[in-house]
Amino acid sequence: MRTFQRLMGLAVAAGVALPLTATTTAAQAASVTTWDKVAACESGGNWSINTGNGYYGGLQFSLSTWNAFGGGQYADYPHRATKKEQILTAEKVLAVQGEGAWPTCGPRAGLGGDTAEPYPDPPAPAAGSVWDRELSVSGQWQSAATHVDENTRINGFAAAGLPDGSLHVQTLVNGDVWNRVRSASGVWQKAATKIDDNGSLKGVSSAALPDGSLHVQTLVNGDVWNRVRSAEGVWGNAVKIDDNGGVTKVSSAALPDGSLHVQALVNGDVWDRTRRVDGTWTNATKIDDNGSIKDVAAAALPDGSLHVQALVNGDVWSRSRGAGGAWDRAAVKIDDNGGITDVSSAGLADGTLHVQAVVNGDVWDRTRRVGGSWTNASKIDDNGRIFDTYAAALPDGSMHVGTIV
């Protein structure tokens, strides 16, 4: 460790700031596992260590080297930076000086022979085209899904049924949102209309209010924005309604009283924010602090209740808010499959609630009867390649379930 400290301190103390494009070995990157081994050797694996000897953090940077290789963008001292920030800075040192910057601990950990990126870019989200299947008022499923958008680059979507009987489907393509309409007579609009060209959108949800307006929520840099289409068909500008910065999923549902509820998933917990009838927004309220929730959906029933579904460890839980505004004390597990990867839901005009679950690329539908009891799940689409679903109810009592394949 002391040899490493002298080397790291000397490189900058002598006024030698090596260009980051220069290399002295083939080592360019290393996995987190290997960096953990280096830290175990250098500092006992203590990433926040500061013994007062002039070297800091898990990898024992001198302050001069920390600043020379860009660590100052993260923290004033190395030990005050996160493990990831220390490793990212050390990657730059490795690219210039090789494992010799840690003459004892580097070779011992195999630093020079590991070329894996410690924090690789996440894989691109799955993408496909949109299909729509209808459940009629009589309870019969359409024999085959209809291909309503052949774009093939769609990686997220949402849908809402308006009081006039039309269905609006929003699709997320390359960070922009497009809207496609199915008229009350069942005719699909030939081409989608771009309603948000932000370019950085990561999620979308939507809900229609009784006054005929459509509200589309989008997720940008962890914040939630809301864009309104008036009953006359005019789109307004997006308004930021949640600046948390850490939102990863969003869902929404409109209640019969004209209020709108938007749910945000943050660090595995679900928060609910309400748009009052007068257009003002409440603060967000945490309604589920599970900490491990991966997806969220919501639907309102004609009785004024709101039902929010949460996906935890491949199972679906539902929590209800009564018409009076009180939330159930605990969520109820409604599907213990263990392999569910996506969830959606819709409340029908007859008072039933339908929840869809994606399992191994197929879609299953489970119904909550008006009395509150649940049916068994039924497979409604055995495509095998589905990764996302939406559900939307229309005023005539029918329901549409969309899939991305």
Side-chain angles (χ1 to χ4, degrees), residues 40-397:
C41 175
E42 292 288 348
S43 63
N46 186 345
W47 294 90
S48 59
I49 192 170
N50 175 18
T51 62
N53 65 352
Y55 302 93
Y56 311 90
L59 301 174
Q60 290 291 277
F61 287 96
S62 69
L63 184 58
S64 55
T65 300
W66 174 255
N67 288 327
F69 285 91
Q73 66 180 306
Y74 302 123
D76 52 354
Y77 282 87
H79 69 287
R80 294 176 179 170
T82 66
K83 171 183 173 180
K84 179 177 180 179
E85 291 165 349
Q86 292 180 51
I87 288 176
L88 290 176
T89 305
E91 285 277 300
K92 296 178 180 179
V93 178
L94 178 64
V96 172
Q97 299 181 355
E99 68 176 4
W102 298 266
T104 298
C105 296
R108 182 180 297 174
L111 188 60
D114 184 350
T115 59
E117 292 289 339
Y119 299 102
D121 292 334
S129 57
V130 177
W131 298 72
D132 182 86
R133 187 182 298 264
E134 182 179 2
L135 175 68
S136 69
V137 179
S138 62
Q140 300 299 310
W141 286 98
Q142 181 182 343
S143 59
T146 301
H147 205 179
V148 299
D149 199 317
E150 301 179 7
N151 186 287
T152 75
R153 294 175 296 150
I154 297 166
N155 53 35
F157 64 175
L162 271 60
D164 65 4
S166 63
L167 173 68
H168 287 246
V169 176
Q170 300 80 42
T171 53
L172 185 61
V173 182
N174 295 330
D176 300 328
V177 175
W178 298 72
N179 189 66
R180 186 181 298 266
V181 183
R182 178 188 182 270
S183 69
S185 62
V187 178
W188 286 93
Q189 178 184 348
K190 279 191 170 184
T193 302
K194 186 184 288 189
I195 62 172
D196 199 320
D197 61 356
N198 180 281
S200 301
L201 304 177
K202 301 297 184 183
V204 61
S205 63
S206 64
L209 298 187
D211 65 4
S213 63
L214 171 66
H215 290 247
V216 177
Q217 299 80 43
T218 51
L219 188 58
V220 185
N221 297 327
D223 300 328
V224 181
W225 296 71
N226 187 64
R227 185 180 298 269
V228 183
R229 178 188 184 270
S230 70
E232 294 74 32
V234 179
W235 288 96
N237 293 326
V239 176
K240 186 184 289 188
I241 61 172
D242 196 323
D243 61 356
N244 179 282
V247 180
T248 55
K249 296 277 187 176
V250 63
S251 61
S252 58
L255 271 60
D257 65 1
S259 62
L260 170 68
H261 284 251
V262 177
Q263 299 78 41
L265 183 59
V266 183
N267 295 327
D269 301 328
V270 179
W271 296 73
D272 181 80
R273 185 181 301 267
T274 307
R275 180 185 184 272
R276 305 180 184 94
V277 179
D278 64 6
T280 59
W281 290 89
T282 68
N283 293 326
T285 301
K286 187 183 287 189
I287 61 172
D288 199 320
D289 61 356
N290 181 282
S292 299
I293 297 169
K294 301 299 184 184
D295 197 14
V296 63
L301 296 183
D303 64 3
S305 62
L306 172 67
H307 298 255
V308 177
Q309 298 79 44
L311 181 60
V312 184
N313 297 327
D315 301 327
V316 178
W317 296 72
S318 184
R319 186 181 298 265
S320 301
R321 176 187 182 274
W327 287 94
D328 286 350
R329 295 184 64 183
V332 176
K333 187 184 288 188
I334 62 172
D335 198 321
D336 61 355
N337 180 281
I340 298 168
T341 56
D342 187 76
V343 63
S344 59
S345 62
L348 273 61
D350 63 4
T352 59
L353 171 68
H354 285 249
V355 177
Q356 299 77 41
V358 177
V359 183
N360 296 325
D362 301 329
V363 180
W364 297 72
D365 182 79
R366 185 181 300 265
T367 306
R368 179 185 183 272
R369 305 180 182 94
V370 177
S373 61
W374 290 89
T375 66
N376 293 327
S378 299
K379 187 183 289 189
I380 62 172
D381 199 318
D382 61 356
N383 181 282
R385 296 180 291 119
I386 296 163
F387 62 87
D388 200 2
T389 63
Y390 68 64
L394 295 183
D396 64 3

